[in-house]
Amino acid sequence: MTDEFDEMYDTFKALLDSFPPSEAVKRLERLGISPDIVERIRERHEQQTVRIRELEEPHAVILGNRDTWYTGPQPKDKCWPAITDLLRKDDWPPEPAIRSLDDSSTRVVSLLNHPKQKAFSTRGLVVGYVQSGKTTNFTSVVAKAADRGYKLFIVLAGIHNGLRRQTQARLVQQLVEPNPSLWSQLTGLDKDFTPGENPASYFGRNNRTHVLCVVKKNATVLRKLAAWLEKASDYLEDCPALIIDDEADQATVATKSINPLILGIMSSLPRSAYVGYTASPFANLLIDPSAADLYPKDFVVNLPKPEGHFGTEVLFGRYALDGEDPEQVDDGYDMIRSVPDDDVAAVRPETRADVEGFEPFITDTLRRAVEYFWLVTAARRVRGTGDPHNTMLIHTSVNTAVHNSFKRPLEHLRDRFERSLSAGDADFLARLSDLWESETERVPAEDFGETKVPFERLLPELSGVLESCRVIMDNSSSEDRLDYENGPVVAIAVGGNTLSRGLTLYGLSVSYFVRSVSAYDTLLQMGRWFGFRKGYADLPRIWMTDELAEWFRHLATVETEMRRDIDIYMTEDETPLTFAVRLRTHPALRVTAAAKMRDAVTAASSYGGKRVQTHYFHTNAGWLGRNADAARALIKASVANAVRAEERPAEGRYVFRDVPHDLVIDFLSTYRFHEKSPENDADLIIDYIRKRVSKAGSLGRWNVAIVGNPKGEDFAFAPGVSVGRNNRARLDLPNPVPDFADIKTLMSRRDAAVDLAGDTGKLTEKGIMEERRRQLPDTGLLVLYPIDKVSEPLPAKRLRVPLNAEDHVIGVGLVFPEPRHGDSTVESYVSANLSNVRIEDEDYSVLDDEDA
């Protein structure tokens, strides 16, 4: 009876979706269905609809807030249950992880059109995390869509054979092999699409199988597919199709060769849904929405971050966003090791002219990284858990000749290591032991639920590790590629683009990365170290320059802010055609390639209702002394011009109320912000204040505060005005940049309420801003922080070191009231252009015939 009811519910569900509940009930009763069955159908529909709407993760923005036709798996399904069975057999994480995958894939399918709808052309975007299981998610989406009647599935699997082959293998394993009678394949493991049988044999009414096609985004291949589908045009009207674009920001956006071919394939399919998957959606979010293009006009989905995933924020930390308590934002794990700038020239040619004849030098940092990799591999053999593979990545250049030049030096290093190990060289073994003890002390295994492997236990495994370790050049011209399908791998992989996107490096534990990059998406996709590290979460390490580490920290902030934008706009009842996600800019990096930003616009980002604080500083006495002079001048002027002064020496605080704005502007004109802080642009802030004073009548008066540490040594601002110096240690950079410190966080949440009346101690960041709007709707707050030049870190702050500046530091925090009567903006973000500007595509001719 249950199966009969399920079939009846599926039959009449479209009717319930199309009419109000009361009308739908009447129509069911007119069909002669008994009232008790009608009531059961109505209750089932209501429960399923509520479940979809209440899915907490992932969040989505839905065009027109349309209700869904898909409410989740049904007992008669075959493809989705096969996937869950395989995941359980493969020792996937506990049941909650499968439930999360179920919910997130259900959300994506629910945004597609019903396969029986007469005609549709849907375009959506799914935003995941690098190496976070996007393939598993879109495979689940394909399975669920197939269970409901979608017939043709085209998966665009990047631009390289390696990723296409890896994707084909995954889809065959999880979709085809469990239900071979349900599937026909247009591509094979070692065969991209080539025109074969008559299309009618796949799409005619006599063939009820689902059709799977996994192709590269290569112009030659896509032309063949488009021409083949054109021959099947008579049969495609009844062929609902789902196109999955893996790595959707690569080649798809702003290319004259690839993009039109994808659009052409869609135009030949009367019922088609295009869904892009990417962890770096910057280019996709900047497409002109008004153009005939692949802007995600119908939905944007944030996939949840899986438990145990190593992402940008986890490894590098990030900066606080507006509305967050900076003290609650983590610094990241102590897994980043610094490569001195002087080492870069030894592993990467400085110019193109230097490529010919280049041979890398094994620097101390590279040797240390390689030796640590061998130690990790030995330790993992002792543990005997997790992924059987062990991989190290060396990525210094995109040039294949440079990759190949690493083979001889690395093999010589391995041979020397093996000889020293066999000889029992005491100094050599002591150095290895020191390396292991140092690394395992900095990142305790117990913090990750693991047990430290003593050096004495891993030492006997090292000989076998060296014997099995291969040095592999994996690039577009090499024949020797990474192959994880024929037994456990121990490999040092040297490569470029073939290793930098989509392709999974199994058992990756050590990365040496000094590749020069210029855009967010390139930088993020280079992070092959992101992902899951089951059984060895305490052991991964990344060697890179301090500049690159700072870029990744900035990128973690951009990612978090981007995802928050998507979530916020969902709650505000916006759609992808009425909002444009903002992407924070960086002075040294582009958001994406110039061609992909051609139609982006500078987004308006107001200082209104926001908090700005300094966290970068020079450490030389001259620069610091000038800033101290500027601060003292402001306090002296505030003492003379404030309407009222409040002294709280026991708390180390002063507040000077209603200081004229021109004194604040004078201070901002003389105080020097560090040039690496784009959000702390004195000219923009001054311009904002002046415009708001003249146009909106606010920010004419400011409260100027001093926040010190009552237990610190005194710092005098003016006669009778002194507070104890604060302690702000800097982030630890093993090879610190001269004359530079990053303290990451200056202001606490409590400091933003220093001039508010009443008990604000328990207020959240949002509550403080609401209270500011109530008490001080037009008044700005400027807070000065005297920071002790030594500033020893607290014992718990393992990623901090003493500040050690040449003089005491003055930090500055600014809190701006929310706009009330119109606001002036600053420009530090880019977004999609929601006007009617036509997109101009760049010709990526390299993608036309390469690797066909």
Side-chain angles (χ1 to χ4, degrees), residues 275-298:
V275 181
Y277 272 75
T278 180
S280 45
F282 313 113
N284 306 80
L285 294 170
L286 297 178
I287 295 172
D288 182 356
S290 66
D293 213 321
L294 293 171
Y295 179 76
K297 63 182 180 60
D298 294 296

PDB file of all heavy atoms in Angstrom, residues 275-298:
ATOM      1  N   VAL A 275      24.283  24.087 -14.315  1.00  0.00           N
ATOM      2  CA  VAL A 275      24.672  24.357 -12.931  1.00  0.00           C
ATOM      3  C   VAL A 275      26.194  24.361 -12.848  1.00  0.00           C
ATOM      4  O   VAL A 275      26.838  23.341 -13.098  1.00  0.00           O
ATOM      5  CB  VAL A 275      24.099  23.298 -11.958  1.00  0.00           C
ATOM      6  CG1 VAL A 275      24.509  23.632 -10.521  1.00  0.00           C
ATOM      7  CG2 VAL A 275      22.586  23.240 -12.068  1.00  0.00           C
ATOM      8  N   GLY A 276      26.757  25.506 -12.536  1.00  0.00           N
ATOM      9  CA  GLY A 276      28.200  25.613 -12.368  1.00  0.00           C
ATOM     10  C   GLY A 276      28.605  25.284 -10.946  1.00  0.00           C
ATOM     11  O   GLY A 276      27.926  25.671  -9.995  1.00  0.00           O
ATOM     12  N   TYR A 277      29.701  24.565 -10.811  1.00  0.00           N
ATOM     13  CA  TYR A 277      30.275  24.249  -9.499  1.00  0.00           C
ATOM     14  C   TYR A 277      31.677  24.841  -9.435  1.00  0.00           C
ATOM     15  O   TYR A 277      32.486  24.632 -10.352  1.00  0.00           O
ATOM     16  CB  TYR A 277      30.380  22.733  -9.292  1.00  0.00           C
ATOM     17  CG  TYR A 277      29.156  22.074  -8.717  1.00  0.00           C
ATOM     18  CD1 TYR A 277      28.025  21.853  -9.507  1.00  0.00           C
ATOM     19  CD2 TYR A 277      29.106  21.673  -7.391  1.00  0.00           C
ATOM     20  CE1 TYR A 277      26.898  21.243  -8.992  1.00  0.00           C
ATOM     21  CE2 TYR A 277      27.978  21.058  -6.861  1.00  0.00           C
ATOM     22  CZ  TYR A 277      26.882  20.843  -7.658  1.00  0.00           C
ATOM     23  OH  TYR A 277      25.768  20.250  -7.126  1.00  0.00           O
ATOM     24  N   THR A 278      31.975  25.563  -8.384  1.00  0.00           N
ATOM     25  CA  THR A 278      33.323  26.104  -8.225  1.00  0.00           C
ATOM     26  C   THR A 278      33.549  26.534  -6.784  1.00  0.00           C
ATOM     27  O   THR A 278      32.600  26.860  -6.069  1.00  0.00           O
ATOM     28  CB  THR A 278      33.566  27.302  -9.167  1.00  0.00           C
ATOM     29  OG1 THR A 278      34.895  27.793  -8.977  1.00  0.00           O
ATOM     30  CG2 THR A 278      32.579  28.427  -8.907  1.00  0.00           C
ATOM     31  N   ALA A 279      34.808  26.527  -6.392  1.00  0.00           N
ATOM     32  CA  ALA A 279      35.182  27.080  -5.090  1.00  0.00           C
ATOM     33  C   ALA A 279      35.690  28.504  -5.229  1.00  0.00           C
ATOM     34  O   ALA A 279      35.905  29.189  -4.227  1.00  0.00           O
ATOM     35  CB  ALA A 279      36.264  26.213  -4.436  1.00  0.00           C
ATOM     36  N   SER A 280      35.885  28.945  -6.461  1.00  0.00           N
ATOM     37  CA  SER A 280      36.367  30.314  -6.705  1.00  0.00           C
ATOM     38  C   SER A 280      35.431  30.990  -7.703  1.00  0.00           C
ATOM     39  O   SER A 280      35.751  31.103  -8.890  1.00  0.00           O
ATOM     40  CB  SER A 280      37.805  30.285  -7.230  1.00  0.00           C
ATOM     41  OG  SER A 280      37.968  29.306  -8.233  1.00  0.00           O
ATOM     42  N   PRO A 281      34.257  31.441  -7.233  1.00  0.00           N
ATOM     43  CA  PRO A 281      33.194  31.905  -8.139  1.00  0.00           C
ATOM     44  C   PRO A 281      33.316  33.362  -8.555  1.00  0.00           C
ATOM     45  O   PRO A 281      32.370  33.935  -9.068  1.00  0.00           O
ATOM     46  CB  PRO A 281      31.941  31.715  -7.288  1.00  0.00           C
ATOM     47  CG  PRO A 281      32.416  32.016  -5.898  1.00  0.00           C
ATOM     48  CD  PRO A 281      33.819  31.472  -5.823  1.00  0.00           C
ATOM     49  N   PHE A 282      34.479  33.967  -8.323  1.00  0.00           N
ATOM     50  CA  PHE A 282      34.614  35.408  -8.519  1.00  0.00           C
ATOM     51  C   PHE A 282      34.259  35.816  -9.946  1.00  0.00           C
ATOM     52  O   PHE A 282      33.526  36.786 -10.164  1.00  0.00           O
ATOM     53  CB  PHE A 282      36.041  35.842  -8.164  1.00  0.00           C
ATOM     54  CG  PHE A 282      36.526  35.275  -6.861  1.00  0.00           C
ATOM     55  CD1 PHE A 282      37.549  34.350  -6.815  1.00  0.00           C
ATOM     56  CD2 PHE A 282      35.929  35.653  -5.667  1.00  0.00           C
ATOM     57  CE1 PHE A 282      37.983  33.801  -5.620  1.00  0.00           C
ATOM     58  CE2 PHE A 282      36.351  35.119  -4.463  1.00  0.00           C
ATOM     59  CZ  PHE A 282      37.381  34.201  -4.440  1.00  0.00           C
ATOM     60  N   ALA A 283      34.780  35.083 -10.931  1.00  0.00           N
ATOM     61  CA  ALA A 283      34.486  35.430 -12.320  1.00  0.00           C
ATOM     62  C   ALA A 283      33.011  35.235 -12.643  1.00  0.00           C
ATOM     63  O   ALA A 283      32.397  36.056 -13.329  1.00  0.00           O
ATOM     64  CB  ALA A 283      35.351  34.586 -13.263  1.00  0.00           C
ATOM     65  N   ASN A 284      32.401  34.156 -12.141  1.00  0.00           N
ATOM     66  CA  ASN A 284      30.993  33.874 -12.435  1.00  0.00           C
ATOM     67  C   ASN A 284      30.068  34.948 -11.878  1.00  0.00           C
ATOM     68  O   ASN A 284      29.042  35.278 -12.468  1.00  0.00           O
ATOM     69  CB  ASN A 284      30.605  32.519 -11.844  1.00  0.00           C
ATOM     70  CG  ASN A 284      31.526  31.404 -12.293  1.00  0.00           C
ATOM     71  OD1 ASN A 284      32.613  31.261 -11.751  1.00  0.00           O
ATOM     72  ND2 ASN A 284      31.106  30.633 -13.281  1.00  0.00           N
ATOM     73  N   LEU A 285      30.438  35.490 -10.723  1.00  0.00           N
ATOM     74  CA  LEU A 285      29.598  36.504 -10.084  1.00  0.00           C
ATOM     75  C   LEU A 285      29.752  37.871 -10.727  1.00  0.00           C
ATOM     76  O   LEU A 285      29.005  38.790 -10.409  1.00  0.00           O
ATOM     77  CB  LEU A 285      29.936  36.588  -8.594  1.00  0.00           C
ATOM     78  CG  LEU A 285      29.582  35.337  -7.777  1.00  0.00           C
ATOM     79  CD1 LEU A 285      30.172  35.440  -6.375  1.00  0.00           C
ATOM     80  CD2 LEU A 285      28.077  35.130  -7.707  1.00  0.00           C
ATOM     81  N   LEU A 286      30.725  38.017 -11.644  1.00  0.00           N
ATOM     82  CA  LEU A 286      30.951  39.296 -12.309  1.00  0.00           C
ATOM     83  C   LEU A 286      30.480  39.303 -13.754  1.00  0.00           C
ATOM     84  O   LEU A 286      30.672  40.279 -14.466  1.00  0.00           O
ATOM     85  CB  LEU A 286      32.449  39.667 -12.245  1.00  0.00           C
ATOM     86  CG  LEU A 286      33.016  39.874 -10.841  1.00  0.00           C
ATOM     87  CD1 LEU A 286      34.509  40.178 -10.911  1.00  0.00           C
ATOM     88  CD2 LEU A 286      32.281  40.983 -10.099  1.00  0.00           C
ATOM     89  N   ILE A 287      29.857  38.204 -14.220  1.00  0.00           N
ATOM     90  CA  ILE A 287      29.285  38.178 -15.573  1.00  0.00           C
ATOM     91  C   ILE A 287      28.164  39.200 -15.660  1.00  0.00           C
ATOM     92  O   ILE A 287      27.438  39.442 -14.694  1.00  0.00           O
ATOM     93  CB  ILE A 287      28.744  36.766 -15.888  1.00  0.00           C
ATOM     94  CG1 ILE A 287      29.891  35.746 -15.927  1.00  0.00           C
ATOM     95  CG2 ILE A 287      27.993  36.741 -17.222  1.00  0.00           C
ATOM     96  CD1 ILE A 287      29.413  34.301 -16.040  1.00  0.00           C
ATOM     97  N   ASP A 288      28.000  39.796 -16.826  1.00  0.00           N
ATOM     98  CA  ASP A 288      26.915  40.753 -17.040  1.00  0.00           C
ATOM     99  C   ASP A 288      25.584  40.004 -17.024  1.00  0.00           C
ATOM    100  O   ASP A 288      25.314  39.182 -17.908  1.00  0.00           O
ATOM    101  CB  ASP A 288      27.106  41.451 -18.386  1.00  0.00           C
ATOM    102  CG  ASP A 288      26.032  42.499 -18.663  1.00  0.00           C
ATOM    103  OD1 ASP A 288      25.093  42.622 -17.845  1.00  0.00           O
ATOM    104  OD2 ASP A 288      26.137  43.189 -19.695  1.00  0.00           O
ATOM    105  N   PRO A 289      24.724  40.250 -16.052  1.00  0.00           N
ATOM    106  CA  PRO A 289      23.457  39.512 -15.966  1.00  0.00           C
ATOM    107  C   PRO A 289      22.509  39.764 -17.119  1.00  0.00           C
ATOM    108  O   PRO A 289      21.627  38.952 -17.381  1.00  0.00           O
ATOM    109  CB  PRO A 289      22.840  40.016 -14.648  1.00  0.00           C
ATOM    110  CG  PRO A 289      23.978  40.586 -13.880  1.00  0.00           C
ATOM    111  CD  PRO A 289      24.906  41.164 -14.917  1.00  0.00           C
ATOM    112  N   SER A 290      22.686  40.885 -17.815  1.00  0.00           N
ATOM    113  CA  SER A 290      21.751  41.214 -18.891  1.00  0.00           C
ATOM    114  C   SER A 290      22.172  40.607 -20.228  1.00  0.00           C
ATOM    115  O   SER A 290      21.423  40.661 -21.192  1.00  0.00           O
ATOM    116  CB  SER A 290      21.644  42.726 -19.040  1.00  0.00           C
ATOM    117  OG  SER A 290      22.878  43.280 -19.484  1.00  0.00           O
ATOM    118  N   ALA A 291      23.371  40.029 -20.287  1.00  0.00           N
ATOM    119  CA  ALA A 291      23.862  39.482 -21.556  1.00  0.00           C
ATOM    120  C   ALA A 291      23.383  38.050 -21.741  1.00  0.00           C
ATOM    121  O   ALA A 291      22.984  37.373 -20.799  1.00  0.00           O
ATOM    122  CB  ALA A 291      25.395  39.537 -21.579  1.00  0.00           C
ATOM    123  N   ALA A 292      23.453  37.579 -22.994  1.00  0.00           N
ATOM    124  CA  ALA A 292      23.144  36.175 -23.286  1.00  0.00           C
ATOM    125  C   ALA A 292      24.352  35.360 -22.863  1.00  0.00           C
ATOM    126  O   ALA A 292      25.238  35.054 -23.661  1.00  0.00           O
ATOM    127  CB  ALA A 292      22.852  36.008 -24.776  1.00  0.00           C
ATOM    128  N   ASP A 293      24.401  35.028 -21.604  1.00  0.00           N
ATOM    129  CA  ASP A 293      25.595  34.427 -21.043  1.00  0.00           C
ATOM    130  C   ASP A 293      25.203  33.447 -19.940  1.00  0.00           C
ATOM    131  O   ASP A 293      24.024  33.085 -19.818  1.00  0.00           O
ATOM    132  CB  ASP A 293      26.525  35.521 -20.503  1.00  0.00           C
ATOM    133  CG  ASP A 293      27.997  35.147 -20.641  1.00  0.00           C
ATOM    134  OD1 ASP A 293      28.319  33.964 -20.430  1.00  0.00           O
ATOM    135  OD2 ASP A 293      28.819  36.038 -20.950  1.00  0.00           O
ATOM    136  N   LEU A 294      26.164  33.073 -19.109  1.00  0.00           N
ATOM    137  CA  LEU A 294      25.938  32.043 -18.099  1.00  0.00           C
ATOM    138  C   LEU A 294      25.922  32.620 -16.692  1.00  0.00           C
ATOM    139  O   LEU A 294      26.277  31.935 -15.732  1.00  0.00           O
ATOM    140  CB  LEU A 294      27.016  30.955 -18.226  1.00  0.00           C
ATOM    141  CG  LEU A 294      26.940  30.135 -19.510  1.00  0.00           C
ATOM    142  CD1 LEU A 294      28.164  29.245 -19.661  1.00  0.00           C
ATOM    143  CD2 LEU A 294      25.667  29.290 -19.537  1.00  0.00           C
ATOM    144  N   TYR A 295      25.523  33.878 -16.562  1.00  0.00           N
ATOM    145  CA  TYR A 295      25.341  34.432 -15.216  1.00  0.00           C
ATOM    146  C   TYR A 295      24.292  33.591 -14.480  1.00  0.00           C
ATOM    147  O   TYR A 295      23.263  33.215 -15.053  1.00  0.00           O
ATOM    148  CB  TYR A 295      24.854  35.880 -15.310  1.00  0.00           C
ATOM    149  CG  TYR A 295      24.609  36.531 -13.964  1.00  0.00           C
ATOM    150  CD1 TYR A 295      25.669  36.954 -13.174  1.00  0.00           C
ATOM    151  CD2 TYR A 295      23.318  36.719 -13.489  1.00  0.00           C
ATOM    152  CE1 TYR A 295      25.452  37.555 -11.945  1.00  0.00           C
ATOM    153  CE2 TYR A 295      23.086  37.311 -12.249  1.00  0.00           C
ATOM    154  CZ  TYR A 295      24.162  37.732 -11.490  1.00  0.00           C
ATOM    155  OH  TYR A 295      23.941  38.327 -10.256  1.00  0.00           O
ATOM    156  N   PRO A 296      24.525  33.260 -13.201  1.00  0.00           N
ATOM    157  CA  PRO A 296      23.578  32.395 -12.470  1.00  0.00           C
ATOM    158  C   PRO A 296      22.296  33.131 -12.107  1.00  0.00           C
ATOM    159  O   PRO A 296      22.020  33.437 -10.946  1.00  0.00           O
ATOM    160  CB  PRO A 296      24.380  31.998 -11.218  1.00  0.00           C
ATOM    161  CG  PRO A 296      25.332  33.127 -11.008  1.00  0.00           C
ATOM    162  CD  PRO A 296      25.712  33.602 -12.387  1.00  0.00           C
ATOM    163  N   LYS A 297      21.474  33.382 -13.109  1.00  0.00           N
ATOM    164  CA  LYS A 297      20.286  34.220 -12.931  1.00  0.00           C
ATOM    165  C   LYS A 297      19.219  33.567 -12.061  1.00  0.00           C
ATOM    166  O   LYS A 297      18.365  34.247 -11.506  1.00  0.00           O
ATOM    167  CB  LYS A 297      19.676  34.577 -14.289  1.00  0.00           C
ATOM    168  CG  LYS A 297      19.162  33.378 -15.073  1.00  0.00           C
ATOM    169  CD  LYS A 297      18.620  33.766 -16.437  1.00  0.00           C
ATOM    170  CE  LYS A 297      18.117  32.567 -17.215  1.00  0.00           C
ATOM    171  NZ  LYS A 297      17.029  31.834 -16.543  1.00  0.00           N
ATOM    172  N   ASP A 298      19.221  32.247 -11.946  1.00  0.00           N
ATOM    173  CA  ASP A 298      18.140  31.556 -11.253  1.00  0.00           C
ATOM    174  C   ASP A 298      18.446  31.245  -9.795  1.00  0.00           C
ATOM    175  O   ASP A 298      17.559  31.291  -8.963  1.00  0.00           O
ATOM    176  CB  ASP A 298      17.785  30.263 -11.996  1.00  0.00           C
ATOM    177  CG  ASP A 298      17.207  30.554 -13.363  1.00  0.00           C
ATOM    178  OD1 ASP A 298      16.120  31.161 -13.407  1.00  0.00           O
ATOM    179  OD2 ASP A 298      17.837  30.213 -14.382  1.00  0.00           O
TER     180      ASP A 298
END
